[in-house]
Amino acid sequence: MTEGIHLRPFDAGRIGEIVRLWNAAAGAAFPLREALLRQNTVLDPHFDPEGASLACAASTDRVVGCCIAKIAREPLGADGLAADRGWLSLVAVDPQHRRRGIGRSLVGAAEAFLRTRHRAKAVLGSDPAHFFPGVPDATDAGGFFEACGYRFRGEAYDLHRFLRDYRTPEAVTALLAQHHDIEIRPLAPGDRPALLAFLTAAFPGRWRYTIERFLARGGPIGDVMGVTRDGTIRGFALLFHPQSRWIGPSIAWASYPAAAAGGLGPMGLSPEIRGRGLGLALLDRAMVHLAGLGVDEMVIDWTILLDFYGKLGFAPHRRYRHGERLL
């Protein structure tokens, strides 16, 4: 380890220090709240303290670096335990202590943890309860991870638009009028079994897992916009708004104050009703619903469907690159 720096085990009592460290390193683009850090670490069933390390200055014991690695510790729906991979969920080093090998030491400790858990590769971000779906362009971390042996392929985006000027397009209104058997509405408590059955059939992997965990943690089913056909659920969109009990990825990095921030994701339709424009109608209904809850800024997180969302005015807001390394 770098002279004058010690690696220490993760300590939940030092979460406030980790938040301050992160905001010194990347808070201008990604302002971290303590509630989000707790949600995505100690409150996440996939978090293992043994996979997290703190770098502390020997003279003051101040936290100057942090790295959190995760493995799947419960089945992710049809994706199982994702037994071939682990994730580097968060890496941060105080700007005043960079270029001293601290980041490499932290990443090395995280990779060693993943090897002891028999993981074949380390993936940057995209873990359950993730902070990022990859490495954000808005930080300078890409070069660091390349130097650590990570290779990048593929990208994803967060998209953004204001809702203050949004009006439902006439084409969407006409489409909904044509489909008398289709209803798009917030789901009700009695819809929960049907929603989970639909997700098991249509999206049995991580999306079903995400929705089930959202509901199990007390997330109201009314925050799921449903598409029903003759009373049977055929589509969904998970919504987030300022009153949400769970800080979804779409609102995780809202600038302070976040009183008017909202978002959407994931979202999907069953195969038999795709290709009719109903995905756009679902997006429209979600936007109108969120605007009614006081949302002004809306984010769609982790997507490559720029053309689809662009039809209703969403534009790229942040770009992320997918990176991984064989262990």
Side-chain angles (χ1 to χ4, degrees), residues 9-230:
F10 181 87
D11 181 352
R14 308 191 76 166
I15 279 181
E17 290 184 69
I18 300 170
V19 171
R20 287 192 291 274
L21 159 70
W22 176 267
N23 285 332
F30 300 99
L32 180 62
R33 292 167 275 175
E34 184 170 321
L36 177 62
L37 182 60
R38 288 188 179 277
Q39 172 188 281
N40 289 4
T41 56
V42 295
L43 297 179
D44 176 23
H46 304 284
F47 174 75
D48 183 342
E50 293 188 18
S53 300
L54 302 178
C56 298
S59 59
T60 63
D61 200 38
R62 184 169 70 90
V63 175
V64 297
C66 178
C67 183
I68 297 169
K70 293 181 184 178
I71 62 169
R73 302 177 74 194
E74 63 183 30
L76 304 177
D79 296 336
L81 286 170
D84 65 328
R85 79 203 66 172
W87 299 276
L88 268 61
S89 183
L90 180 149
V91 182
V93 175
D94 189 309
Q96 296 182 357
H97 289 79
R98 289 179 180 170
R99 304 188 183 282
R100 296 174 57 186
I102 296 173
R104 283 181 176 266
S105 295
L106 287 165
V107 169
E111 293 174 344
F113 164 78
L114 296 180
R115 290 190 189 97
T116 66
R117 300 308 192 270
H118 310 292
R119 266 40 187 186
K121 62 183 176 182
V123 178
L124 302 176
S126 76
D127 49 298
H130 62 279
F131 293 97
F132 304 108
V135 176
D137 282 355
T139 70
D140 57 359
F144 165 75
F145 283 114
E146 287 180 326
C148 290
Y150 286 81
R151 296 295 174 260
F152 289 94
R153 59 173 180 81
E155 59 190 21
Y157 293 85
D158 289 346
L159 309 180
H160 171 277
R161 74 155 289 161
F162 290 102
L163 297 184
R164 64 190 68 158
D165 62 344
Y166 180 72
R167 301 294 183 271
T168 299
E170 292 183 5
V172 172
T173 301
L175 177 73
L176 291 172
Q178 293 171 9
H179 291 279
H180 301 291
D181 57 338
I182 296 290
E183 183 182 13
I184 303 177
R185 59 174 174 82
L187 296 180
D191 293 316
R192 178 170 177 160
L195 172 63
L196 294 177
F198 159 72
L199 292 168
T200 298
F203 302 102
R206 184 155 160 176
W207 284 6
R208 187 200 187 282
Y209 171 82
T210 297
I211 298 295
E212 184 175 35
R213 184 162 179 261
F214 171 81
L215 297 174
R217 291 194 58 195
I221 196 170
D223 284 350
V224 180
M225 186 70 70
V227 180
T228 66
R229 183 182 186 187
D230 295 327

